[in-house]
């Protein structure tokens, strides 16, 4: 018998959008990190995936792609950034700069970015450590360590 799902239905639906993006990125030969920006009512404003490899653009992180896809918003305080992996400092800066009110993190086992810093500055942060996100990243890190180390800015 499967274990009960620890996520509430809304969190699962939101994380599923980001996971779909992460899986698409992996299928394209990229780094499997996905993100989506949601309105307070759960509407998807924008979604994206890490496209550093595909676009040969080191700034094209998943959160950046989702933010850009959302287009201009009048106010970001009631939005939620959902990401499959703890946001790096670059993406944490984006959240802080634009006042995104909440971040839902799929996992921080593989990488711990700036989500604690965001929480210290008033952003509502929820870290799920979802096994699907952990398995996706650990499989990628195991099979492509050189690309992973490049992505996080560490020598391989």
């Amino acid at each position: 018998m499967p274990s009960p799902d620890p996520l509430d239905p809304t969190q699962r639906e939101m994380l599923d959008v980001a996971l779909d993006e992460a899986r698409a990125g992996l299928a394209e030969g990229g780094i499997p990190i996905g993100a989506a920006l949601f309105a307070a009512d759960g509407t998807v404003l924008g979604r994206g995936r890490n496209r550093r490899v595909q676009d040969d653009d080191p700034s094209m992180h998943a959160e950046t792609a989702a933010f850009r896809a959302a287009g201009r918003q009048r106010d970001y305080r009631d939005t939620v950034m959902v990401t499959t992996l703890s946001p790096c400092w670059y993406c944490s800066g984006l959240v802080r700069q634009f006042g995104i009110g909440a971040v839902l993190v799929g996992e921080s086992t593989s990488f711990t970015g700036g989500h604690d810093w965001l929480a210290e500055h008033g952003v509502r942060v929820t870290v799920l450590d979802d096994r699907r996100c952990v398995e996706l990243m650990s499989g990628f890190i195991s099979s492509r360590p050189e690309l992973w180390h490049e992505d996080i800015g560490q020598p391989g």
Side-chain angles (χ1 to χ4, degrees):
M1 172 178 266
S3 61
D5 189 345
L7 303 180
D8 72 38
T10 303
Q11 288 176 329
R12 173 165 287 284
E13 290 169 11
M14 293 169 83
L15 185 58
D16 284 348
V17 173
L19 263 167
D20 286 347
E21 289 293 324
R23 291 177 180 132
L26 182 63
E28 295 169 348
I31 299 158
I33 304 169
L37 186 66
F38 289 85
D41 68 0
T43 302
V44 177
L45 300 172
R47 53 192 293 163
R49 56 189 165 272
N50 184 304
R51 295 192 52 86
R52 294 179 72 249
V53 173
Q54 299 93 313
D55 295 351
D56 195 29
D57 180 350
S59 70
M60 191 45 70
H61 291 208
E63 298 88 343
T64 306
F67 183 76
R68 287 178 177 172
R72 289 176 53 205
Q73 304 296 313
R74 183 173 183 86
D75 185 351
Y76 293 92
R77 281 178 290 196
D78 292 329
T79 62
V80 179
M81 178 65 76
V82 179
T83 179
T84 58
L85 186 66
S86 178
C88 70
W89 288 105
Y90 171 65
C91 295
S92 294
L94 180 145
V95 168
R96 185 99 158 81
Q97 173 70 32
F98 290 94
I100 293 171
V103 176
L104 183 66
V105 177
E107 70 111 334
S108 67
T109 304
S110 303
F111 176 80
T112 301
H115 67 262
D116 288 336
W117 175 75
L118 288 171
E120 290 169 7
H121 287 89
V123 178
R124 293 178 316 280
V125 176
T126 304
V127 179
L128 301 171
D129 281 328
D130 183 85
R131 68 168 179 75
R132 299 169 300 159
C133 295
V134 173
E135 289 170 3
L136 184 63
M137 281 311 300
S138 63
F140 172 77
I141 292 167
S142 175
S143 67
R144 299 292 310 272
E146 74 293 340
L147 189 52
W148 170 245
H149 289 287
E150 174 190 326
D151 191 57
I152 61 172
Q154 294 181 358

